[in-house]
Amino acid sequence: MSGPVTCTATTCARPSSATAAARRARRCAPLRSRPGFRPGVGWGLAALGLALGEEVTEAQLRNLFGERGRHPDADRIEADRLAAGDSPKEAFKAGALGRRVMVTGVDFVFRPQPTVYLLWALGDEETRRVIEVAPERAIVRVLEWIEDEVAVIRYGKDGIYRVRPPGGLVAARFRHYEARSGMPLLHDHLLLSVKGQRLDGEWGSIHTLALHENTVAASALYNKLVAAEVCEELGLATEPRTVTPGRRPDAEAARRSR
């Protein structure tokens, strides 16, 4: 699926995927030594004992989105439980987040409309600052919408019971400034864990099909929020742009008519 917001599975929990999962975690964890990248920040981590906006590490990503989908600090938890006298099996279970799943997360890629990211690439410092802030706020709104209207935890036989994750979703966001080709391209990756905590304290799995089915709606909301803030802050207007004949046009930033 193409568009300003895309959603793909991040990893499959199979033995053959362990190396790929570790490689993906390294690629998605921006290190301070890499130019053009910032460390990732987390959302919805209170239930995990982590702070909102806290920087996430490569090891935490590997645990949460790796082969088993464990607690980000599973290594520390397991070591502490072993030191307290627990058996290896008990210590390992303490770092788990519910049952093992085949898909541990999804990767939402948020990219502003072409006129917005081109304006960012060619604009002055103030223009870039405004445009860099707008997507961050828009992603927060989109994530809140997903939590309130889309995400459900399935449990029981054949997933007969469905509830909203009362503690919210667990996610890590990474800001990138370039495309793989090296060309300027402002965009964000939101790695969303499929693990969600129910009211009874047990951990279940977010229904990933619902996330994929609402990607277009998430994209429309993101576009609207980014365009509205950028145009208001920079004194621009929006104009419709037809991408696919016969379908609703997208709103792009344009010079305000006098």
Side-chain angles (χ1 to χ4, degrees):
M1 181 178 293
S2 61
V5 178
T6 58
C7 175
T8 58
T10 59
T11 184
C12 294
R14 297 178 296 184
S16 61
S17 71
T19 301
R23 183 167 59 248
R24 187 177 295 106
R26 288 194 296 270
R27 185 170 64 245
C28 293
L31 304 179
R32 293 183 183 276
S33 60
R34 294 177 62 185
F37 292 87
R38 295 188 306 184
V41 295
W43 267 304
L45 306 181
L48 300 175
L50 303 175
L52 178 68
E54 181 177 334
E55 291 184 6
V56 292
T57 67
E58 180 180 334
Q60 289 175 322
L61 278 178
R62 187 182 295 111
N63 282 329
L64 186 59
F65 296 103
E67 188 176 339
R68 294 182 180 272
R70 309 189 67 204
H71 190 288
D73 289 335
D75 299 335
R76 175 186 57 78
I77 293 172
E78 187 172 351
D80 290 346
R81 296 297 289 268
L82 287 171
D86 285 0
S87 67
K89 183 177 181 180
E90 291 172 330
F92 184 83
K93 185 177 180 180
L97 296 178
R99 295 185 300 176
R100 182 174 177 176
V101 293
M102 292 300 295
V103 175
T104 57
V106 293
D107 179 14
F108 281 95
V109 183
F110 291 85
R111 171 177 55 82
Q113 303 96 314
T115 49
V116 174
Y117 70 70
L118 287 175
L119 186 61
W120 167 82
L122 302 175
D124 56 23
E125 183 176 349
E126 176 61 20
T127 298
R128 290 195 296 271
R129 185 193 64 78
V130 169
I131 295 176
E132 288 178 8
V133 170
E136 294 180 353
R137 291 175 176 158
I139 291 172
V140 172
R141 293 279 301 278
V142 172
L143 187 58
E144 291 173 346
W145 172 76
I146 292 174
E147 289 177 334
D148 294 339
E149 304 294 338
V150 178
V152 291
I153 301 174
R154 299 178 63 190
Y155 66 101
K157 185 178 180 181
D158 298 325
I160 189 172
Y161 301 111
R162 301 188 180 193
V163 295
R164 300 287 182 206
L169 300 172
V170 179
R173 180 181 62 82
F174 301 90
R175 165 63 54 85
H176 289 174
Y177 300 94
E178 296 178 350
R180 292 182 180 179
S181 64
M183 296 295 290
L185 179 60
L186 181 70
H187 64 287
D188 295 272
H189 289 263
L190 184 73
L191 295 183
L192 182 64
S193 171
V194 300
K195 298 292 186 176
Q197 193 174 35
R198 307 196 306 255
L199 284 172
D200 59 6
E202 295 295 322
W203 287 85
S205 298
I206 304 296
H207 189 31
T208 55
L209 180 60
L211 299 177
H212 285 278
E213 289 176 341
N214 285 275
T215 301
V216 174
S219 180
L221 177 59
Y222 172 79
N223 285 343
K224 178 181 178 180
L225 293 170
V226 171
E229 181 167 340
V230 168
C231 289
E232 180 179 354
E233 292 293 327
L234 298 180
L236 302 174
T238 58
E239 63 179 21
R241 182 177 69 91
T242 300
V243 178
T244 304
R247 294 193 175 184
R248 185 173 60 184
D250 291 339
E252 293 280 5
R255 187 186 302 274
R256 189 183 297 276
S257 58
R258 297 181 179 179

